[in-house]
Amino acid sequence: YNIAMLSCDQVQLDRRIYQEAATLAKNGYNVKIYTFYPDIILPSILQKGVSIVKIARNDGKIHGGAINKKSLLFNYVNILLPSLLKEKMYFCLLDPALSFINNYQISEIEKSDIIFAHDTPMLPLAFEIQKNQGFGKIICDLHELFPDQFDIFKTKEARRYWNRIDTCYLKKCDGIITVSDNLAQIIYKRYDLLEKPLVLYNMSNFVPKNGKNNFLHDLYSIPYDKQIF
């Protein structure tokens, strides 16, 4: 099976995404992680069967008719507006989730049996890829409640926009996974899903301990027969 993982990370590739890809590769899957930001920090060593592809923008320009004109308008007044007003305008005039479809060379994404949308912004792109190739199961991995990131989205317009994306696409997914039982319950009820999302916990790789190191046991008076994680 070929698997495409779509990531919207801008600074560093989420460790969860790579761990999922590496686990699948170890079990015989061919996994490609697609990212849309050229300066993203990537793992220095990759598991065999995992590759990372950076998708280029369309000649560095915004495309798509009305979206193009609105983007130019937004860029023109960007420096003149306070941040809250800019966010309101951005989510009222533009369609950020569609920018990955309109502004990037998504034809570079190879046909895949399974398409992973990592978080809400990748959902429209995942379904566009499925439509273009004519097949493929879609799995969404929600790392958090994306619309509820109040530290990032300060206005109700922004939060309402991402909530609409989730409402529109989550029910159409072939499967949904998330990071905790509590989050799975909230997503299940909020979006009236037929099944509760599968919980896939974040874990560290197990590294066998070479020799004894009792520093923490001694420091905190922990019995030596007790393990520390």
Side-chain angles (χ1 to χ4, degrees):
Y1 283 96
N2 293 320
I3 297 177
M5 289 193 167
L6 311 176
S7 167
C8 60
D9 293 327
Q10 298 184 34
V11 179
Q12 183 169 358
L13 183 68
D14 193 314
R15 180 178 166 278
R16 177 179 175 87
I17 298 176
Y18 177 70
Q19 291 286 79
E20 288 179 12
T23 301
L24 288 165
K26 287 176 184 177
N27 286 275
Y29 293 89
N30 179 44
V31 186
K32 287 195 174 183
I33 302 171
Y34 294 92
T35 179
F36 301 86
Y37 297 94
D39 298 325
I40 189 171
I41 301 172
L42 301 174
S44 55
I45 301 176
L46 295 179
Q47 166 69 37
K48 183 180 179 181
V50 177
S51 57
I52 299 176
V53 180
K54 294 181 179 180
I55 301 297
R57 287 182 67 90
N58 291 322
D59 302 321
K61 300 176 183 178
I62 301 291
H63 291 262
I67 292 180
N68 185 29
K69 294 176 183 178
K70 291 175 181 178
S71 297
L72 290 174
L73 174 62
F74 178 77
N75 290 334
Y76 180 73
V77 299
N78 188 32
I79 58 173
L80 304 176
L81 297 175
S83 59
L84 288 181
L85 191 55
K86 280 191 284 189
E87 184 174 281
K88 283 176 179 282
M89 184 177 176
Y90 182 71
F91 284 97
C92 287
L93 289 179
L94 305 181
D95 201 339
L98 293 186
S99 68
F100 292 102
I101 298 171
N102 295 321
N103 303 332
Y104 288 86
Q105 298 174 20
I106 62 172
S107 59
E108 296 178 10
I109 299 176
E110 295 181 2
K111 291 185 177 182
S112 304
D113 303 289
I114 303 172
I115 305 161
F116 264 80
H118 279 279
D119 265 332
T120 302
M122 294 289 95
L123 279 169
L125 175 59
F127 281 92
E128 182 70 13
I129 293 169
Q130 183 194 56
K131 183 180 76 172
N132 290 344
Q133 69 180 26
F135 66 94
K137 300 289 186 181
I138 293 180
I139 306 295
C140 181
D141 186 352
L142 293 174
H143 301 191
E144 63 266 312
L145 287 169
F146 200 85
D148 290 10
Q149 296 180 91
F150 293 93
D151 57 327
I152 298 176
F153 305 121
K154 305 296 185 183
T155 64
K156 63 181 180 181
E157 285 80 7
R159 296 189 290 272
R160 193 160 50 209
Y161 172 84
W162 291 119
N163 193 59
R164 281 202 309 271
I165 297 294
D166 278 340
T167 301
C168 176
Y169 290 99
L170 285 179
K171 278 190 174 181
K172 302 176 185 177
C173 291
D174 296 288
I176 302 171
I177 60 179
T178 191
V179 298
S180 71
D181 297 287
N182 184 50
L183 207 57
Q185 184 66 22
I186 294 172
I187 294 166
Y188 174 63
K189 289 186 174 180
R190 177 182 293 187
Y191 299 107
D192 194 26
L193 302 177
L194 296 177
E195 293 182 354
K196 189 183 294 187
L198 176 70
V199 177
L200 186 62
Y201 297 110
N202 290 323
M203 300 288 287
S204 296
N205 285 333
F206 173 72
V207 180
K209 195 162 57 171
N210 296 320
K212 284 285 186 180
N213 185 339
N214 295 322
F215 174 77
L216 290 176
H217 290 83
D218 294 335
L219 183 63
Y220 295 107
S221 301
I222 300 172
Y224 291 146
D225 62 339
K226 303 298 182 184
Q227 290 185 309
I228 299 174
F229 293 91

